[in-house]
Amino acid sequence: MISVFDIFKIGIGPSSSHTVGPMVAGKRFRDHARTIKGVARIKAEIFGSLAWTGRGHGTDVAIFLGLLGHEPATIDPDIVGPLVAQLGETKRLAPEGPEFDPAADLVFDFEQILPGHTNGMRFRALSAEDTVLAETVYYSIGGGFVVAEGESESLDHGPSRKPFESVAELLNICASEGRTIAEVQLENEVGLRSAVEIAEGLDAIAEAMFGCIERGLKQEGVLPGGLKVRRRAKKLHEQLSAGSWLNSRPPHEIVDWISLFAIAVNEENASGGRVVTAPTNGAAGIVPAVMRYARDFCPDWSVEKGREYLLVAAAIGGLIKKRASISGAEVGCQGEVGSAAAMAAAGLASILGGSPAQIENAAEIAMEHHLGMTCDPIGGLVQVPCIERNAFGANKAVVAASLALRGDGEHRVTLDEVIETMRQTGHDMAAKYKETSLGGLAVNVAAC
């Protein structure tokens, strides 16, 4: 199974595949190298999408941090700059540790793509005589998940209590046992950890999501990276808050609030702040924005509703990851924003009282109307069109849930069929539209 805690991981921006994954890989290789005698220097190479958009996504910095021993869930974003500056001065990973020159020992290979995935990395541990003592290739396969070459993607959770490999199987379990999707997912989670640990973990994820929105609402200035994109969330929040005193307010104002919540998260992500991968960093604003909408504007919100929302979203996200992909470098942005919208739509439909069939319909509608979406970030930065794209994804999720709840769950196209279509579309999509910044907006809009 894929756990809710696999789908939702606390880390830093701007990218789960290009920042979180490389940091994890760097830390893994560091730990491995420390078991080998005589390591004098470490070198690294990055390939494919990691090379093409790595500087804009902070891949180089993430690898530095991983090799220094830091992890995405615990690194303080405020110390990243000083750590990188210190490494540039000492050119050593520890006072008595191996040498690593950030300017010379990390190579961006723009020509080669490794066979396992477009997000490939190679690390080498060398002796003082430049003999290779250890070499490992890692792939960052989306959502912060990392596998070594020759290693199958195994989350090592063992058999599920209520296994399901498709949406159809999940719905059959719900129908035959009279359970909700949240209950099925929860039973599988209980096979991994105690009920108390699950509740505390879910609450921590929700708190991190809400906290990210709150931080984003207070920040202003220009986002890093050179595009000179100004933060908008603070000003939008002030405008909407001032308008709340008016006697007459347009009904569509709710759209602005949902957009605001998503933009706040993705501006934090773009600045390298702390976010929750949901299921990726590039799409990190959608699930929190819809949950905040449910908390602030829908009736009967509770902590328990928040847990239900996240469990259902994770069940859908896990199936998408299993049966297709959540990696923009593999299937385009349909796999990131599309997946997040489907997850959020399903979670919202559930806490608003939807049946399993209506929840599946909500996720299907949301995913269907993101099919074919490319990933073409200008300048390799997770800013344009990524930030606004999260706002639209969040609103699409709410529309999808509303449409599904107006129906009875009967519909022509299944979520399984849409997920398979997304997989095929991603396979057929030209590589330049899959997180390379070699096509689309990335080449038709000046990056400076």
Side-chain angles (χ1 to χ4, degrees):
M1 67 166 290
I2 297 179
S3 167
V4 62
F5 303 109
D6 297 320
I7 290 293
F8 299 120
K9 296 185 285 291
I10 298 173
I12 62 171
S15 171
S16 50
S17 60
H18 288 55
T19 312
V20 174
M23 194 187 306
V24 170
K27 174 67 162 52
R28 282 183 61 178
F29 189 76
R30 168 197 165 93
D31 292 345
H32 174 53
R34 295 180 75 181
T35 68
I36 302 169
K37 292 183 178 180
V39 176
R41 178 182 292 275
I42 288 179
K43 292 190 174 183
E45 301 166 90
I46 57 176
F47 304 87
S49 178
L50 288 183
W52 292 322
T53 64
R55 295 200 188 279
H57 286 66
T59 302
D60 47 354
V61 172
I63 288 176
F64 302 159
L65 294 172
L67 291 174
L68 286 168
H70 294 281
E71 298 178 329
T74 56
I75 181 73
D76 180 354
D78 292 334
I79 70 170
V80 169
L83 285 173
V84 174
Q86 183 180 41
L87 179 61
E89 293 173 2
T90 65
K91 298 178 175 54
R92 193 173 289 277
L93 295 173
E96 303 298 327
E99 295 179 4
F100 183 85
D101 183 350
D105 292 332
L106 175 61
V107 175
F108 287 67
D109 188 324
F110 299 102
E111 302 298 328
Q112 187 180 176
I113 298 178
L114 299 184
H117 193 281
T118 184
N119 291 336
M121 297 162 276
R122 179 185 290 127
F123 293 84
R124 290 190 175 101
L126 307 174
S127 69
E129 295 77 27
D130 278 347
T131 301
V132 177
L133 302 177
E135 177 179 315
T136 307
V137 170
Y138 296 100
Y139 296 103
S140 180
I141 58 175
F145 293 90
V146 172
V147 294
E149 189 169 56
E151 176 181 82
S152 62
E153 186 192 353
S154 172
L155 298 174
D156 205 23
H157 293 324
S160 302
R161 293 187 174 190
K162 297 292 178 183
F164 52 89
E165 296 296 322
S166 67
V167 182
E169 290 181 8
L170 173 58
L171 293 179
N172 284 338
I173 293 172
C174 292
S176 63
E177 301 187 12
R179 293 172 180 251
T180 67
I181 291 176
E183 288 170 343
V184 173
Q185 183 69 20
L186 179 60
E187 182 161 346
N188 286 334
E189 299 290 343
V190 171
L192 307 178
R193 48 183 63 83
S194 71
V196 171
E197 289 174 317
I198 294 167
E200 290 177 347
L202 292 172
D203 292 347
I205 291 169
E207 182 180 347
M209 288 181 172
F210 290 142
C212 185
I213 292 174
E214 288 301 322
R215 289 192 306 276
L217 296 179
K218 295 178 175 64
Q219 306 301 317
E220 53 190 344
V222 176
L223 294 172
L227 285 184
K228 300 179 181 178
V229 174
R230 298 195 64 82
R231 286 181 178 257
R232 288 182 288 174
K234 186 174 186 290
K235 185 176 181 180
L236 283 170
H237 187 225
E238 291 170 348
Q239 291 173 339
L240 287 169
S241 297
S244 65
W245 296 97
L246 299 177
N247 291 327
S248 177
R249 296 156 64 188
H252 67 260
E253 182 185 286
I254 192 63
V255 172
D256 295 331
W257 282 101
I258 296 167
S259 297
L260 167 65
F261 300 145
I263 288 171
V265 171
N266 284 86
E267 288 181 346
E268 279 295 289
N269 180 63
S271 67
R274 186 166 302 286
V275 299
V276 178
T277 299
T280 67
N281 283 28
I286 295 170
V287 171
V290 175
M291 185 165 62
R292 174 69 180 260
Y293 159 74
R295 189 194 80 176
D296 290 5
F297 295 97
C298 296
D300 303 322
W301 173 262
S302 65
V303 171
E304 290 72 25
K305 290 280 189 182
R307 296 170 187 167
E308 176 186 342
Y309 175 87
L310 292 172
L311 286 167
V312 173
I316 299 303
L319 283 169
I320 295 171
K321 176 171 170 53
K322 279 184 183 181
R323 301 180 66 83
S325 175
I326 57 172
S327 169
E330 193 170 20
V331 295
C333 199
Q334 58 174 355
E336 296 201 29
V337 166
S339 297
M343 293 162 59
L348 181 61
S350 180
I351 63 175
L352 293 181
S355 66
Q358 289 172 315
I359 293 167
E360 184 260 357
N361 189 198
E364 177 271 319
I365 293 170
M367 173 61 78
E368 180 181 350
H369 297 290
H370 283 91
L371 290 175
M373 181 174 282
T374 61
C375 184
D376 51 353
I378 298 174
L381 298 166
V382 192
Q383 297 179 18
V384 182
C386 317
I387 295 172
E388 287 182 351
R389 189 166 283 177
N390 275 257
F392 276 80
N395 277 290
K396 280 187 179 182
V398 175
V399 171
S402 182
L403 284 173
L405 291 171
R406 294 289 182 184
D408 58 6
E410 293 291 326
H411 53 287
R412 179 64 183 84
V413 180
T414 69
L415 179 56
D416 281 330
E417 291 168 338
V418 172
I419 293 173
E420 174 58 18
T421 302
M422 189 267 277
R423 186 194 67 79
Q424 293 176 6
T425 303
H427 179 270
D428 295 340
M429 189 181 290
K432 67 180 181 179
Y433 296 120
K434 294 190 281 189
E435 206 167 0
T436 62
S437 290
L438 298 177
L441 284 175
V443 299
N444 289 309
V445 178
C448 60

